[in-house]
mmCIF file with all atom_site columns, all heavy atoms in Angstrom:
data_model
loop_
_atom_site.group_PDB
_atom_site.id
_atom_site.type_symbol
_atom_site.label_atom_id
_atom_site.label_alt_id
_atom_site.label_comp_id
_atom_site.label_asym_id
_atom_site.label_entity_id
_atom_site.label_seq_id
_atom_site.pdbx_PDB_ins_code
_atom_site.Cartn_x
_atom_site.Cartn_y
_atom_site.Cartn_z
_atom_site.occupancy
_atom_site.B_iso_or_equiv
_atom_site.pdbx_formal_charge
_atom_site.auth_seq_id
_atom_site.auth_comp_id
_atom_site.auth_asym_id
_atom_site.auth_atom_id
_atom_site.pdbx_PDB_model_num
ATOM 1   N N   . ILE A 1 28 ? -3.492 -12.577 15.802 1.00 0.00 ? 28 ILE A N   1
ATOM 2   C CA  . ILE A 1 28 ? -2.469 -13.636 15.947 1.00 0.00 ? 28 ILE A CA  1
ATOM 3   C C   . ILE A 1 28 ? -1.076 -13.110 15.615 1.00 0.00 ? 28 ILE A C   1
ATOM 4   O O   . ILE A 1 28 ? -0.083 -13.643 16.108 1.00 0.00 ? 28 ILE A O   1
ATOM 5   C CB  . ILE A 1 28 ? -2.789 -14.870 15.061 1.00 0.00 ? 28 ILE A CB  1
ATOM 6   C CG1 . ILE A 1 28 ? -2.803 -14.486 13.586 1.00 0.00 ? 28 ILE A CG1 1
ATOM 7   C CG2 . ILE A 1 28 ? -4.092 -15.510 15.490 1.00 0.00 ? 28 ILE A CG2 1
ATOM 8   C CD1 . ILE A 1 28 ? -2.956 -15.698 12.657 1.00 0.00 ? 28 ILE A CD1 1
ATOM 9   N N   . SER A 1 29 ? -0.996 -12.057 14.792 1.00 0.00 ? 29 SER A N   1
ATOM 10  C CA  . SER A 1 29 ? 0.316  -11.498 14.440 1.00 0.00 ? 29 SER A CA  1
ATOM 11  C C   . SER A 1 29 ? 0.971  -10.804 15.635 1.00 0.00 ? 29 SER A C   1
ATOM 12  O O   . SER A 1 29 ? 2.191  -10.601 15.651 1.00 0.00 ? 29 SER A O   1
ATOM 13  C CB  . SER A 1 29 ? 0.193  -10.541 13.267 1.00 0.00 ? 29 SER A CB  1
ATOM 14  O OG  . SER A 1 29 ? -0.573 -9.406  13.618 1.00 0.00 ? 29 SER A OG  1
ATOM 15  N N   . ASN A 1 30 ? 0.168  -10.399 16.633 1.00 0.00 ? 30 ASN A N   1
ATOM 16  C CA  . ASN A 1 30 ? 0.711  -9.718  17.813 1.00 0.00 ? 30 ASN A CA  1
ATOM 17  C C   . ASN A 1 30 ? 0.465  -10.514 19.102 1.00 0.00 ? 30 ASN A C   1
ATOM 18  O O   . ASN A 1 30 ? 0.653  -9.991  20.188 1.00 0.00 ? 30 ASN A O   1
ATOM 19  C CB  . ASN A 1 30 ? 0.028  -8.338  17.964 1.00 0.00 ? 30 ASN A CB  1
ATOM 20  C CG  . ASN A 1 30 ? 0.406  -7.412  16.813 1.00 0.00 ? 30 ASN A CG  1
ATOM 21  O OD1 . ASN A 1 30 ? 1.495  -6.860  16.751 1.00 0.00 ? 30 ASN A OD1 1
ATOM 22  N ND2 . ASN A 1 30 ? -0.533 -7.234  15.885 1.00 0.00 ? 30 ASN A ND2 1
ATOM 23  N N   . ASN A 1 31 ? 0.059  -11.753 18.924 1.00 0.00 ? 31 ASN A N   1
ATOM 24  C CA  . ASN A 1 31 ? -0.356 -12.549 20.086 1.00 0.00 ? 31 ASN A CA  1
ATOM 25  C C   . ASN A 1 31 ? 0.786  -12.848 21.042 1.00 0.00 ? 31 ASN A C   1
ATOM 26  O O   . ASN A 1 31 ? 0.587  -12.988 22.253 1.00 0.00 ? 31 ASN A O   1
ATOM 27  C CB  . ASN A 1 31 ? -0.980 -13.872 19.597 1.00 0.00 ? 31 ASN A CB  1
ATOM 28  C CG  . ASN A 1 31 ? -1.820 -14.542 20.663 1.00 0.00 ? 31 ASN A CG  1
ATOM 29  O OD1 . ASN A 1 31 ? -2.482 -13.851 21.439 1.00 0.00 ? 31 ASN A OD1 1
ATOM 30  N ND2 . ASN A 1 31 ? -1.801 -15.849 20.710 1.00 0.00 ? 31 ASN A ND2 1
ATOM 31  N N   . ASN A 1 32 ? 2.019  -12.981 20.533 1.00 0.00 ? 32 ASN A N   1
ATOM 32  C CA  . ASN A 1 32 ? 3.153  -13.378 21.367 1.00 0.00 ? 32 ASN A CA  1
ATOM 33  C C   . ASN A 1 32 ? 3.954  -12.183 21.915 1.00 0.00 ? 32 ASN A C   1
ATOM 34  O O   . ASN A 1 32 ? 5.020  -12.371 22.492 1.00 0.00 ? 32 ASN A O   1
ATOM 35  C CB  . ASN A 1 32 ? 4.094  -14.293 20.567 1.00 0.00 ? 32 ASN A CB  1
ATOM 36  C CG  . ASN A 1 32 ? 3.418  -15.611 20.225 1.00 0.00 ? 32 ASN A CG  1
ATOM 37  O OD1 . ASN A 1 32 ? 2.633  -16.157 21.005 1.00 0.00 ? 32 ASN A OD1 1
ATOM 38  N ND2 . ASN A 1 32 ? 3.701  -16.130 19.029 1.00 0.00 ? 32 ASN A ND2 1
ATOM 39  N N   . HIS A 1 33 ? 3.451  -10.963 21.713 1.00 0.00 ? 33 HIS A N   1
ATOM 40  C CA  . HIS A 1 33 ? 4.169  -9.789  22.159 1.00 0.00 ? 33 HIS A CA  1
ATOM 41  C C   . HIS A 1 33 ? 3.467  -9.195  23.395 1.00 0.00 ? 33 HIS A C   1
ATOM 42  O O   . HIS A 1 33 ? 2.238  -9.096  23.429 1.00 0.00 ? 33 HIS A O   1
ATOM 43  C CB  . HIS A 1 33 ? 4.198  -8.713  21.061 1.00 0.00 ? 33 HIS A CB  1
ATOM 44  C CG  . HIS A 1 33 ? 4.831  -9.206  19.796 1.00 0.00 ? 33 HIS A CG  1
ATOM 45  N ND1 . HIS A 1 33 ? 4.349  -8.859  18.545 1.00 0.00 ? 33 HIS A ND1 1
ATOM 46  C CD2 . HIS A 1 33 ? 5.868  -10.035 19.572 1.00 0.00 ? 33 HIS A CD2 1
ATOM 47  C CE1 . HIS A 1 33 ? 5.101  -9.440  17.617 1.00 0.00 ? 33 HIS A CE1 1
ATOM 48  N NE2 . HIS A 1 33 ? 6.020  -10.160 18.213 1.00 0.00 ? 33 HIS A NE2 1
ATOM 49  N N   . TYR A 1 34 ? 4.272  -8.809  24.376 1.00 0.00 ? 34 TYR A N   1
ATOM 50  C CA  . TYR A 1 34 ? 3.693  -8.228  25.593 1.00 0.00 ? 34 TYR A CA  1
ATOM 51  C C   . TYR A 1 34 ? 2.959  -6.921  25.285 1.00 0.00 ? 34 TYR A C   1
ATOM 52  O O   . TYR A 1 34 ? 1.912  -6.634  25.872 1.00 0.00 ? 34 TYR A O   1
ATOM 53  C CB  . TYR A 1 34 ? 4.790  -7.952  26.625 1.00 0.00 ? 34 TYR A CB  1
ATOM 54  C CG  . TYR A 1 34 ? 5.316  -9.214  27.307 1.00 0.00 ? 34 TYR A CG  1
ATOM 55  C CD1 . TYR A 1 34 ? 6.602  -9.670  27.051 1.00 0.00 ? 34 TYR A CD1 1
ATOM 56  C CD2 . TYR A 1 34 ? 4.493  -9.935  28.177 1.00 0.00 ? 34 TYR A CD2 1
ATOM 57  C CE1 . TYR A 1 34 ? 7.065  -10.835 27.669 1.00 0.00 ? 34 TYR A CE1 1
ATOM 58  C CE2 . TYR A 1 34 ? 4.961  -11.097 28.784 1.00 0.00 ? 34 TYR A CE2 1
ATOM 59  C CZ  . TYR A 1 34 ? 6.254  -11.535 28.532 1.00 0.00 ? 34 TYR A CZ  1
ATOM 60  O OH  . TYR A 1 34 ? 6.712  -12.680 29.125 1.00 0.00 ? 34 TYR A OH  1
ATOM 61  N N   . LEU A 1 35 ? 3.512  -6.121  24.394 1.00 0.00 ? 35 LEU A N   1
ATOM 62  C CA  . LEU A 1 35 ? 2.901  -4.851  24.059 1.00 0.00 ? 35 LEU A CA  1
ATOM 63  C C   . LEU A 1 35 ? 1.835  -4.981  22.971 1.00 0.00 ? 35 LEU A C   1
ATOM 64  O O   . LEU A 1 35 ? 1.162  -4.010  22.638 1.00 0.00 ? 35 LEU A O   1
ATOM 65  C CB  . LEU A 1 35 ? 3.953  -3.841  23.614 1.00 0.00 ? 35 LEU A CB  1
ATOM 66  C CG  . LEU A 1 35 ? 4.974  -3.460  24.692 1.00 0.00 ? 35 LEU A CG  1
ATOM 67  C CD1 . LEU A 1 35 ? 5.993  -2.473  24.148 1.00 0.00 ? 35 LEU A CD1 1
ATOM 68  C CD2 . LEU A 1 35 ? 4.280  -2.887  25.929 1.00 0.00 ? 35 LEU A CD2 1
ATOM 69  N N   . GLY A 1 36 ? 1.713  -6.169  22.395 1.00 0.00 ? 36 GLY A N   1
ATOM 70  C CA  . GLY A 1 36 ? 0.665  -6.427  21.422 1.00 0.00 ? 36 GLY A CA  1
ATOM 71  C C   . GLY A 1 36 ? 0.601  -5.435  20.278 1.00 0.00 ? 36 GLY A C   1
ATOM 72  O O   . GLY A 1 36 ? 1.586  -5.173  19.591 1.00 0.00 ? 36 GLY A O   1
ATOM 73  N N   . MET A 1 37 ? -0.576 -4.828  20.093 1.00 0.00 ? 37 MET A N   1
ATOM 74  C CA  . MET A 1 37 ? -0.822 -3.912  18.984 1.00 0.00 ? 37 MET A CA  1
ATOM 75  C C   . MET A 1 37 ? 0.067  -2.667  19.024 1.00 0.00 ? 37 MET A C   1
ATOM 76  O O   . MET A 1 37 ? 0.240  -2.003  17.995 1.00 0.00 ? 37 MET A O   1
ATOM 77  C CB  . MET A 1 37 ? -2.281 -3.472  19.002 1.00 0.00 ? 37 MET A CB  1
ATOM 78  C CG  . MET A 1 37 ? -3.238 -4.479  18.386 1.00 0.00 ? 37 MET A CG  1
ATOM 79  S SD  . MET A 1 37 ? -3.074 -4.507  16.603 1.00 0.00 ? 37 MET A SD  1
ATOM 80  C CE  . MET A 1 37 ? -3.625 -2.840  16.200 1.00 0.00 ? 37 MET A CE  1
ATOM 81  N N   . LEU A 1 38 ? 0.615  -2.341  20.175 1.00 0.00 ? 38 LEU A N   1
ATOM 82  C CA  . LEU A 1 38 ? 1.454  -1.141  20.274 1.00 0.00 ? 38 LEU A CA  1
ATOM 83  C C   . LEU A 1 38 ? 2.657  -1.221  19.327 1.00 0.00 ? 38 LEU A C   1
ATOM 84  O O   . LEU A 1 38 ? 3.153  -0.206  18.857 1.00 0.00 ? 38 LEU A O   1
ATOM 85  C CB  . LEU A 1 38 ? 1.940  -0.935  21.709 1.00 0.00 ? 38 LEU A CB  1
ATOM 86  C CG  . LEU A 1 38 ? 0.931  -0.315  22.689 1.00 0.00 ? 38 LEU A CG  1
ATOM 87  C CD1 . LEU A 1 38 ? 1.519  -0.248  24.070 1.00 0.00 ? 38 LEU A CD1 1
ATOM 88  C CD2 . LEU A 1 38 ? 0.516  1.087   22.212 1.00 0.00 ? 38 LEU A CD2 1
ATOM 89  N N   . TRP A 1 39 ? 3.115  -2.464  19.066 1.00 0.00 ? 39 TRP A N   1
ATOM 90  C CA  . TRP A 1 39 ? 4.264  -2.622  18.166 1.00 0.00 ? 39 TRP A CA  1
ATOM 91  C C   . TRP A 1 39 ? 3.932  -2.174  16.742 1.00 0.00 ? 39 TRP A C   1
ATOM 92  O O   . TRP A 1 39 ? 4.820  -1.848  15.950 1.00 0.00 ? 39 TRP A O   1
ATOM 93  C CB  . TRP A 1 39 ? 4.751  -4.063  18.171 1.00 0.00 ? 39 TRP A CB  1
ATOM 94  C CG  . TRP A 1 39 ? 5.557  -4.389  19.388 1.00 0.00 ? 39 TRP A CG  1
ATOM 95  C CD1 . TRP A 1 39 ? 5.219  -5.224  20.394 1.00 0.00 ? 39 TRP A CD1 1
ATOM 96  C CD2 . TRP A 1 39 ? 6.849  -3.862  19.721 1.00 0.00 ? 39 TRP A CD2 1
ATOM 97  N NE1 . TRP A 1 39 ? 6.222  -5.251  21.348 1.00 0.00 ? 39 TRP A NE1 1
ATOM 98  C CE2 . TRP A 1 39 ? 7.234  -4.428  20.964 1.00 0.00 ? 39 TRP A CE2 1
ATOM 99  C CE3 . TRP A 1 39 ? 7.721  -2.965  19.107 1.00 0.00 ? 39 TRP A CE3 1
ATOM 100 C CZ2 . TRP A 1 39 ? 8.418  -4.125  21.581 1.00 0.00 ? 39 TRP A CZ2 1
ATOM 101 C CZ3 . TRP A 1 39 ? 8.931  -2.661  19.729 1.00 0.00 ? 39 TRP A CZ3 1
ATOM 102 C CH2 . TRP A 1 39 ? 9.274  -3.234  20.946 1.00 0.00 ? 39 TRP A CH2 1
#
Side-chain angles (χ1 to χ4, degrees):
I28 62 174
S29 65
N30 294 284
N31 199 36
N32 295 323
H33 303 142
Y34 285 112
L35 296 179
M37 279 287 296
L38 281 176
W39 283 112

